[in-house]
């Protein structure tokens, strides 16, 4: 189960979580404007919402959240592959997995993410740029990009998982050393 904790921590860290970096619910400092973007020429909220809709950003994020659940499960399974679990341990692990998935689903809800996307896009794109993007997405090439982005996402996930498999032995060695070092540090006065 210690391996599960390390795997879960690793996943959270890989996802960008910073342990104890901020209080729960705390917001990061406001973003700076990207080069060339000012409050005067930043894209409007309405045009950003239109861009997010036409690019099907919400659907892509929903798919990403579903895939992340699989990645979490795969990481835990890899971390525990050589450790048979007794039924009580399996129940504890399954309960923890359900809790992790519930937290991920809660944190990755569109109503939580949309305000962040609006702010990111507002501080990154000018109105002229968003207008140009909306024109592009109205073209056949733009629509092809939207339709095929889930395929790109699926292929990317498959290739990333394969890439991570080659890193697994090294990551597991780091994990073993971490657990050994932690155990030794408790034993020493």
């Amino acid at each position: 189960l210690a391996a599960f904790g390390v795997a879960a921590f690793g996943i959270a860290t890989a996802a960008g979580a910073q342990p104890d970096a901020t209080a729960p619910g705390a917001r990061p400092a406001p973003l700076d404007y990207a080069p060339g973007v000012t409050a005067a020429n930043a894209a409007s909220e309405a045009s950003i919402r239109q861009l997010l809709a036409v690019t099907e950003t919400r659907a892509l994020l929903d798919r990403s959240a579903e895939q992340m659940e699989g990645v979490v499960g795969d990481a835990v399974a890899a971390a525990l592959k050589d450790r048979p679990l007794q039924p009580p341990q399996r129940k504890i692990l399954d309960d923890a997995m359900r809790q992790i998935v519930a937290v991920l689903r809660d944190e990755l809800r569109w109503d939580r993410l949309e305000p962040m996307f609006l702010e990111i896009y507002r501080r990154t794109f000018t109105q002229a740029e968003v207008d140009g993007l909306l024109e592009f997405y109205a073209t056949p090439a733009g629509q092809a990009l939207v339709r095929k982005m889930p395929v790109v996402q699926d292929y990317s996930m498959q290739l990333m998982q394969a890439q991570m498999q080659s890193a697994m032995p090294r990551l597991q060695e780091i994990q073993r050393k971490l657990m050994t070092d932690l155990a030794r540090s408790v034993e020493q006065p």
Side-chain angles (χ1 to χ4, degrees):
L1 291 177
F4 166 73
V6 171
F9 173 79
I11 291 164
T13 302
Q18 298 292 322
D20 299 326
T22 59
R27 292 192 47 118
L31 302 172
D32 291 332
Y33 284 101
V37 181
T38 66
N41 71 358
S44 70
E45 183 175 318
S47 66
I48 295 169
R49 284 182 188 279
Q50 186 179 1
L51 181 61
L52 293 174
V54 75
T55 57
E56 300 180 8
T57 301
R58 182 177 185 170
L60 283 172
L61 286 172
D62 289 345
R63 287 175 50 80
S64 294
E66 290 170 13
Q67 288 175 336
M68 193 176 340
E69 291 173 22
V71 170
V72 170
D74 292 347
V76 170
L80 296 173
K81 74 176 179 171
D82 296 329
R83 296 171 184 87
L85 297 178
Q86 299 298 318
Q89 293 170 318
R90 173 54 59 192
K91 182 181 180 328
I92 291 168
L93 179 62
D94 290 345
D95 288 346
M97 287 297 298
R98 277 191 288 280
Q99 291 174 26
I100 289 170
V101 167
V103 168
L104 291 174
R105 285 183 183 265
D106 183 54
E107 290 299 320
L108 298 175
R109 288 189 340 248
W110 182 247
D111 66 315
R112 286 182 180 244
L113 296 177
E114 183 185 35
M116 288 187 278
F117 274 93
L118 292 170
E119 182 69 6
I120 290 166
Y121 278 54
R122 187 177 72 78
R123 295 201 173 252
T124 305
F125 295 104
T126 66
Q127 186 62 55
E129 291 166 338
V130 169
D131 291 343
L133 288 167
L134 288 169
E135 285 179 32
F136 167 72
Y137 283 112
T139 68
Q143 286 301 299
L145 181 63
V146 170
R147 279 192 321 277
K148 293 181 179 184
M149 193 51 65
V151 175
V152 169
Q153 188 178 33
D154 288 344
Y155 289 164
S156 298
M157 185 62 72
Q158 290 171 20
L159 293 175
M160 289 299 290
Q161 286 175 341
Q163 189 69 32
M164 288 307 296
Q165 288 303 317
S166 72
M168 267 312 188
R170 291 182 291 165
L171 294 172
Q172 288 170 338
E173 181 56 34
I174 292 168
Q175 176 184 333
R176 279 190 288 276
K177 184 178 180 325
L178 169 66
M179 298 309 286
T180 300
D181 291 349
L182 287 173
R184 284 184 187 149
S185 73
V186 172
E187 295 169 2
Q188 296 176 355

